[in-house]
Amino acid sequence: MPTLYKPFRGSHGISRGFTGRDYRTQHTGVDYRTPKRTPVLASAAGVVVRSVDLTVSYGRYIIIAHSGGVFTLYAHLDKRQAGEGARVAVGQRIGLSGSTGRSTGPHLHFEVRKGRNNSAATVNPVPLLKGSPPTVTELTEPTGLTGLTDAPGAVGAAVVSAPEAAEVTDVTDVTDEPDTREVVEPGETVEPGEAVEPGGVREPGVAPDQ
């Protein structure tokens, strides 16, 4: 398993902790009280396998595949700054935190998944994190941003040379397994007062992140 670091620098408290793998009744990640547009950093070197603009559940989010079958997820982003296929170094900026999707305020929802890329494989990330990530030189001319339209001039999203990222050499077999919370269940309606982004899908049965 790769060494994992907090997905930001500095100190931000936890508003909601990890409670379990069943998203219907439990919280599958950790919510950090990051102010809007806080730089979000790669927890370890790896390859971006998902970079999604909007869902009602996670909002804008990014998933990175790391060595050892580990995945990290960064959700409710205000802006994505790394596209699918980009190789990123530990501590490299991949986006800005926000409050997109099903969220009651600015924060960063962070997940660690072991063995497969699905919320049912999540584990409590807090005991695994080694503190703030090392400083990296951010790149000014990002590449590998296939399908990324919301981050012109983004910093730190280019393909980089990183030993652990190099271990993730083949992502063709890395699949983002369907997560039922990202589809609209038959007969569901949006709850009163719940904001739904255009084109989004909603997460049934789960209270908004804090």
Side-chain angles (χ1 to χ4, degrees), residues 142-159:
T143 59
L145 303 181
T146 304
L148 186 61
T149 59
D150 66 343
V155 176
V159 172

Side-chain angles (χ1 to χ4, degrees), residues 40-49 62-66 72 74 81-95 136 139 143-145 155-166 168:
V40 175
L41 313 177
S43 182
V47 177
V48 176
V49 293
I62 287 173
I63 298 176
I64 301 176
H66 309 283
T72 53
Y74 314 75
Q81 295 180 304
E84 293 176 7
R87 294 181 181 271
V88 294
V90 56
Q92 194 168 0
R93 194 169 84 191
I94 59 172
V136 297
L139 306 178
T143 59
L145 303 181
V155 176
V159 172
V160 298
S161 176
E164 290 187 17
V168 189

Side-chain angles (χ1 to χ4, degrees), residues 119-139:
S119 61
T122 54
V123 296
N124 185 2
V126 174
L128 305 176
L129 303 180
K130 305 297 183 182
S132 296
T135 301
V136 297
T137 301
E138 295 184 324
L139 306 178

